[in-house]
Amino acid sequence: MYIALHNSFSSKQVEEFAKVVFGMGLNTIVFTKASSSAAQNGIPIVQKMAIKNNKNLVYLEDINDAIEILNPEKVIMITNSNIGKEKLNFEEIGEKDLIVFCGSNSGFSLKEIESANAEPKHLLGVNIGPIGEASILLYNTLKDQ
């Protein structure tokens, strides 16, 4: 499973997201469309973290670049329950799936979801942000491993 954070502006969010993903045992993290302090400070901090811990960082311009390079079986975008009407079933996540979280409060645009040919899904009825949502997803998918 590949975990991605898309459209983040915050270096702290990027750093904390990486701590969760790497801390839960995944070896690769993907960042797309990072801007502002996320791109200037956050990505270099995560790069250093990845190198020190023998992990992989993939930093790309857009989600479609990640799809082209990783060639996932499914792309699942974690959205709020207004857009992703269907709740994510943790048991349906495969090893080659790309799970994308949004770093901005506005969430994914419908154009981004359609362009990625993604399945919009939600985890909770309320939006708690990508760090909390990634924690829930990874705990539920990796707890039996």
Side-chain angles (χ1 to χ4, degrees), residues 1-136:
M1 157 178 47
Y2 301 106
I3 299 292
L5 180 63
H6 176 72
N7 199 20
S8 180
F9 303 92
S10 165
S11 64
K12 197 65 176 168
Q13 181 184 58
V14 165
E15 186 179 347
E16 295 300 319
F17 189 84
K19 284 181 184 177
V20 167
V21 172
F22 290 152
M24 293 295 283
L26 269 69
N27 290 321
T28 302
I29 190 167
V30 180
F31 292 101
T32 57
K33 199 178 173 185
S35 59
S36 191
S37 72
Q40 293 172 344
N41 301 324
I43 297 296
I45 290 168
V46 175
Q47 177 79 48
K48 184 177 176 182
M49 186 188 313
I51 291 168
K52 281 184 168 182
N53 295 296
N54 201 28
K55 305 286 186 177
N56 304 305
L57 167 68
V58 178
Y59 177 43
L60 299 165
E61 187 176 352
D62 200 71
I63 295 170
N64 290 326
D65 296 326
I67 293 168
E68 179 184 335
I69 289 170
L70 300 171
N71 194 26
E73 289 178 8
K74 280 189 295 195
V75 178
I76 300 169
M77 292 176 141
I78 304 301
T79 66
N80 64 42
S81 57
N82 295 336
I83 295 175
K85 302 291 185 200
E86 192 175 323
K87 190 169 184 174
L88 179 66
N89 179 351
F90 300 113
E91 295 171 4
E92 292 180 4
I93 299 173
E95 287 183 30
K96 294 263 306 165
D97 292 348
L98 173 62
I99 315 298
V100 187
F101 296 88
C102 190
S104 73
N105 291 336
S106 60
F108 296 108
S109 70
L110 292 176
K111 182 180 175 185
E112 287 173 324
I113 294 169
E114 290 170 3
S115 170
N117 197 24
E119 300 176 21
K121 305 275 181 148
H122 73 274
L123 293 177
L124 305 169
V126 296
N127 180 3
I128 62 168
I131 297 166
E133 291 172 340
S135 300
I136 291 168

